[in-house]
Amino acid sequence: MAIRHLLQLEGMEPAAVQEILELAMRFKADVLTADRCKRHELAGRAIMNCFFEPSTRTKTSFELAGKYLGADVVNFQTRGSSLEKGETLEDTARTLEAMAIDVLVIRHQVSGIPERLAARVKVPVINAGDGFHEHPTQGLLDLLTVYEEWGHIAGLHLVIVGDILHSRVARSDLWGFLALGAHVTLVGPPQLLPRDWERPGLRVTASLKSALAEADVIQVLRIQKERQSLVGLPSWEEYRARWGITRDVLGSLREHTLIMHPGPQNRGVEIDSEVISGRTSKIAQQVTNGVAVRMAVLTWVLGGPYDR
Amino acid sequence: MTDNGMTGVCLRGVRVIDPFRDVDSRDEDLTVVGGLIVPRDDPRARGCVEIDGRGLWLVPRIVDMHVHFREPGQTWKETIETGCQAAAHGGVTGVAPMPNTLPVVDTPELVEWEAQRGADLGLVHVYPIGAITRQSQGEALADLYFMHQKGARAFSDDGHPLTSSALMRAALTYAATLPAAIINHAEDRQLATGWCNEGPVAEQLGLAGTPEAAEAVMVWRDVMLAELTGGWLHEAHVSTVESLHAIRYAKAKQLGVTAEVTPHHLLLTDDALREWRYDPVTKVNPPLRSKATREALVKAVSDGDIDVIASDHAPHHADEKSLNYQEAPYGISGLETLLGATFTALLEPGLMRPLDLMRLLTVGPHRVLRLSYPGLIPGAAADLTLIDPQRRWVVDPGQFYSRGRNTPLAGRTLVGQAVATMVQGRWVMRDGEVLNAGVSNLHR
């Protein structure tokens, strides 16, 4: 049987997305909210977290997800190691594979690395974020968060605000929500928007106001000061004034509009504290769902059974 | 076989395509004795080796004026010897290596060394290109006159754009006195922050893109400086729609401006990145462009707006091309697919007459490099290529003589291939096999 990887949501079968979401909901109900008792579905399996880029949330989330299912999870220290820079992919793949692990979870600052490693190793690879290509488990947990609230994705209108061009979260959300029949609007300063994307169900605009009127869900992206996000922008104050989801913006939204943010938030820049703690904010659920989704994904790539 | 060209060769029944004389003539015979073309009734032609050339084209003096041979300094990628072998294998009788070696070819001594190295190998003609600025750092002009005296045919900081407009002005003005062309690699580095073409493919794959404008703004600048100085400008590897406008403007004004396009920009688009995914085999500078731009480049070439087709042969070691897309070096190993890729892009769809196409691989580079060749007339050097224009072949980099196996054309079927290459009356390649010069030739 072919190895199941999770590399991107683009092109993924909607049925597979549904399968993972349903699995995640069961894990969430059975493990995370009910007895909080460790299970043994993945007992005896070894999962390697290989993060070539700093990460707290995603890495911890994968670690917990594996441990809740009884797997052994190890973190491969990459910062400062030879693996970080200048090593060929063949050598990286050989090193990782030689450790005889069952699943590789990869984050890398350059797009495409998980996919290229997946072509070279004989175990499932899970993309935990690559460059500004995709972050599929984030896309899945966002889908789960919205699905829990609405019971469906089709027909909903998702608005993603921020530096779309350099965001792997935006790409995974985009493909995931489109695949399940949602409409998606990408909003941000024009220099941070893709210029040439045309797809059914997709709109790209610099005008936040025009997008918000019909939003059912808003995903607020972090303005990453450490990346290119602010290059070519006058100041973060201007960004906030024009694209920030501020307390004033909150007042103009439809009552039911959900607020999400993949974190970590820059309070007072792209999002206000009042919005984070607002009635329709789903930011805390996103984190919980992150663990549930990663449990589901680990089980799914390993084709493991799950019966209560 | 010929004994270093001393025994004659008679090529029978070939289609002679000689852009130097504007001749395209079928069923011709051509006789070579002592390294030169001779009249058919030349007494020395008696007893010559007869070769049946029916179905083959015979083209003189194919020159690839944009190659990287990596020697001195990076000989694990390529050497002058393996580069010349790759040229012979590809049907190329002359090459102009770019000076971005380690050290940079920026002195008369290095120019002379490179030319001598090429001559000692005795495979194909090597026409050195000297650096415009010292160490190609873009700060001070190198000794252009002294390099020219030792055989530099043109000047370029290729790999680096000449950023300073003042220095570009000075270079164009000064080189015109030699006279020699300034070859610029046009790229606004502050705008060119990506690793591939900016557009839907880059955006979808999450790879940083570079807009066409990064090239075109500098091509336009260069054209304006050519106008200001009256100097001679050659734009290397032109790859954008707006660059073509600038070149057409320059030609309409009869400025001393010429331009070159590579076969990979004529044949491939950034769709190759979807096909090869994140394999940096598609990483090349300037990047593979959109379908619309590829079509514009093909049209410009077939309309006669472009002077030269050159491979920008840029060999790299497999280890280097195994790095990630960001870290891997730019470049495609192109000498051995030059003819096939060009024919497949332009002849196969019937967009050009063979004679017009071959002009871009012969007369065009001769003009830019200020080389002279009278055409295939008695007394002319027997530098020629036999081409099977119908041959369909699958690109297998494992068969390359180049050390660089990096090409996104791998596995692709091309139409048209050189079957033999002759330089100064000696076969340097026959049936795909490169025939190295004997020891006597090396130590003559």
Side-chain angles (χ1 to χ4, degrees):
Chain A
M1 205 183 88
I3 301 168
R4 252 183 191 176
H5 303 290
L6 181 71
L7 301 173
Q8 56 181 32
L9 296 191
E10 186 200 345
M12 196 162 166
E13 288 296 324
V17 176
Q18 284 285 2
E19 188 189 336
I20 293 172
L21 294 183
E22 273 154 32
L23 203 51
M25 281 189 286
R26 291 169 65 188
F27 278 133
K28 187 178 177 185
D30 297 350
V31 184
L32 298 179
T33 46
D35 54 11
R36 294 180 94 79
C37 191
K38 226 171 120 167
R39 298 183 56 89
H40 305 284
E41 268 78 7
L42 301 184
R45 303 284 206 168
I47 297 163
M48 186 176 317
N49 264 341
C50 208
F51 281 60
F52 293 81
E53 195 183 58
S55 156
T56 312
R57 231 164 295 245
T58 307
K59 188 162 126 185
T60 311
S61 179
F62 267 108
E63 204 169 336
L64 279 173
K67 286 181 172 167
Y68 281 140
L69 294 172
D72 295 315
V73 185
V74 287
N75 291 309
F76 195 93
Q77 174 68 34
T78 57
R79 278 180 70 73
S81 80
S82 61
L83 224 56
E84 197 174 18
K85 200 173 160 53
E87 186 175 79
T88 69
L89 275 161
E90 279 72 16
D91 290 343
T92 306
R94 207 171 295 134
T95 305
L96 297 176
E97 185 151 52
M99 301 202 193
I101 38 90
D102 297 298
V103 182
L104 260 179
V105 180
I106 305 274
R107 165 166 294 187
H108 201 284
Q109 62 277 13
V110 179
S111 304
I113 295 300
E115 182 178 318
R116 296 195 68 206
L117 283 175
R120 289 167 166 77
V121 297
K122 295 182 191 71
V123 297
V125 172
I126 298 172
N127 178 6
D130 63 325
F132 34 94
H133 172 227
E134 281 219 36
H135 190 356
T137 55
Q138 177 74 44
L140 290 167
L141 76 89
D142 292 334
L143 281 167
L144 179 61
T145 306
V146 174
Y147 190 82
E148 281 181 331
E149 195 66 28
W150 289 85
H152 64 93
I153 300 293
L156 293 177
H157 193 140
L158 167 71
V159 173
I160 309 175
V161 189
D163 177 0
I164 307 294
L165 203 56
H166 303 112
S167 172
R168 53 191 171 216
V169 174
R171 281 175 180 73
S172 285
D173 280 347
L174 166 68
W175 303 121
F177 278 82
L178 283 181
L180 296 191
H183 298 276
V184 179
T185 300
L186 307 174
V187 191
Q191 60 268 56
L192 302 178
L193 291 173
R195 290 188 306 151
D196 319 276
W197 276 7
E198 282 177 36
R199 269 187 185 70
L202 175 65
R203 191 159 78 95
V204 182
T205 175
S207 164
L208 181 65
K209 203 175 170 198
S210 74
L212 291 186
E214 350 174 317
D216 297 309
V217 185
I218 302 174
Q219 169 84 309
V220 188
L221 299 178
R222 174 184 169 81
I223 276 295
Q224 292 170 300
K225 289 178 180 164
E226 68 273 26
R227 287 202 195 186
Q228 298 100 314
S229 299
L230 281 170
V231 172
L233 283 178
S235 64
W236 65 261
E237 289 89 346
E238 282 213 8
Y239 178 85
R240 173 183 155 79
R242 303 188 67 191
W243 293 281
I245 304 300
T246 60
R247 65 186 81 86
D248 297 337
V249 168
L250 194 60
S252 71
L253 298 178
R254 294 197 281 183
E255 223 170 62
H256 66 253
T257 304
L258 304 181
I259 303 288
M260 301 198 297
H261 190 303
Q265 296 86 21
N266 290 303
R267 290 173 186 252
V269 184
E270 77 269 359
I271 192 164
D272 279 1
S273 292
E274 290 86 338
V275 180
I276 294 174
S277 60
R279 201 175 43 76
T280 59
S281 166
K282 293 289 154 197
I283 295 169
Q285 283 89 324
Q286 283 177 283
V287 179
T288 309
N289 288 346
V291 181
V293 152
R294 284 160 190 136
M295 290 168 79
V297 166
L298 288 169
T299 310
W300 183 77
V301 295
L302 286 169
Y306 175 72
D307 287 304
R308 177 97 230 203
Chain B
M1 204 40 49
T2 63
D3 179 20
N4 281 331
M6 292 318 289
T7 314
V9 174
C10 186
L11 301 155
R12 297 213 178 272
V14 293
R15 174 171 171 184
V16 167
I17 299 175
D18 181 359
F20 295 92
R21 292 179 300 141
D22 216 22
V23 163
D24 182 349
S25 177
R26 287 163 201 273
D27 201 19
E28 291 281 331
D29 296 341
L30 197 84
T31 307
V32 174
V33 176
L36 304 176
I37 310 294
V38 297
R40 218 182 135 184
D41 52 8
D42 190 289
R44 291 173 297 166
R46 254 181 252 129
C48 69
V49 179
E50 302 251 343
I51 290 178
D52 181 1
R54 281 174 298 181
L56 300 180
W57 296 356
L58 187 156
V59 182
R61 299 276 286 194
I62 293 175
V63 171
D64 187 343
M65 63 161 284
H66 193 145
V67 299
H68 297 272
F69 280 177
R70 313 299 191 197
E71 186 181 354
Q74 295 178 307
T75 48
W76 64 89
K77 293 174 191 264
E78 193 80 290
T79 64
I80 295 174
E81 181 172 14
T82 56
C84 285
Q85 289 171 343
H89 188 218
V92 171
T93 59
V95 289
M98 283 294 178
N100 63 333
T101 47
L102 292 173
V104 170
V105 178
D106 63 352
T107 64
E109 291 80 6
L110 281 165
V111 167
E112 191 173 25
W113 174 83
E114 182 188 318
Q116 189 59 51
R117 180 84 188 116
D120 287 348
L121 288 166
L123 280 165
V124 302
H125 298 284
V126 173
Y127 305 114
I129 293 176
I132 305 170
T133 64
R134 292 177 195 279
Q135 295 168 56
S136 286
Q137 286 185 341
E139 286 163 10
L141 287 185
D143 287 341
L144 304 187
Y145 169 75
F146 288 139
M147 282 193 280
H148 190 254
Q149 292 287 95
K150 294 295 181 187
R153 307 300 318 182
F155 299 95
S156 181
D157 281 353
D158 187 64
H160 307 277
L162 187 45
T163 302
S164 160
S165 301
L167 210 49
M168 186 64 178
R169 177 187 185 178
L172 285 164
T173 306
Y174 189 79
T177 64
L178 300 173
I182 295 293
I183 303 173
N184 198 23
H185 163 127
E187 183 183 18
D188 181 328
R189 282 276 161 93
Q190 286 179 308
L191 204 48
T193 51
W195 322 309
C196 59
N197 185 46
E198 182 174 302
V201 178
E203 285 163 0
Q204 193 172 336
L205 291 174
L207 293 172
T210 283
E212 291 197 0
E215 172 183 308
V217 291
M218 195 173 278
V219 173
W220 270 112
R221 179 206 71 171
D222 290 349
V223 165
M224 294 172 81
L225 291 175
E227 188 164 13
L228 174 66
T229 60
W232 193 2
L233 170 71
H234 177 76
E235 286 293 343
H237 45 54
V238 163
S239 75
T240 80
V241 173
E242 200 54 42
S243 304
L244 296 173
H245 287 153
I247 299 300
R248 288 196 187 100
Y249 166 88
K251 293 196 179 243
K253 285 213 148 190
Q254 297 185 308
L255 306 179
V257 175
T258 52
E260 144 200 320
V261 172
T262 74
H264 47 269
H265 289 108
L266 294 172
L267 195 57
L268 299 174
T269 66
D270 57 4
D271 264 338
L273 275 78
R274 292 192 208 272
E275 192 185 320
W276 287 92
R277 301 296 298 180
Y278 296 95
D279 188 332
V281 73
T282 56
K283 187 176 175 183
V284 61
N285 192 15
L288 300 173
R289 302 291 190 183
S290 68
K291 184 167 178 284
T293 297
R294 185 193 77 85
E295 283 166 5
L297 291 168
V298 166
K299 184 167 188 331
V301 171
S302 50
D303 285 353
D305 295 333
I306 297 297
D307 304 87
V308 171
I309 291 175
S311 71
D312 193 5
H313 175 73
H316 292 290
H317 194 278
D319 286 350
E320 295 159 316
K321 278 290 192 180
S322 294
L323 296 170
N324 66 54
Y325 213 94
Q326 183 176 346
E327 290 176 4
Y330 291 100
I332 291 173
S333 179
L335 257 172
E336 286 155 275
T337 52
L338 171 70
L339 294 186
T342 305
F343 283 22
T344 306
L346 298 165
L347 290 185
E348 174 82 343
L351 297 171
M352 288 184 88
R353 294 189 307 156
L355 180 60
D356 293 331
L357 174 60
M358 293 317 305
R359 196 171 280 125
L360 305 178
L361 292 159
T362 54
V363 172
H366 277 71
R367 272 187 62 211
V368 178
L369 300 176
R370 296 223 164 217
L371 300 165
S372 63
Y373 186 73
L376 292 165
I377 56 170
D383 298 336
L384 53 89
T385 307
L386 291 175
I387 299 169
D388 181 346
Q390 307 292 338
R391 182 180 288 184
R392 305 180 76 84
W393 58 289
V394 177
V395 178
D396 172 11
Q399 304 291 317
F400 282 4
Y401 278 83
S402 169
R403 288 193 175 163
R405 307 287 162 88
N406 48 301
T407 173
L409 293 174
R412 198 172 161 130
T413 300
L414 301 180
V415 183
Q417 191 175 39
V419 296
T421 312
M422 176 181 274
V423 177
Q424 293 185 307
R426 192 179 82 79
W427 293 115
V428 293
M429 184 276 280
R430 286 198 73 178
D431 299 322
E433 189 187 342
V434 171
L435 307 166
N436 289 307
V439 173
S440 59
N441 200 337
L442 275 170
H443 301 285
R444 104 204 100 100

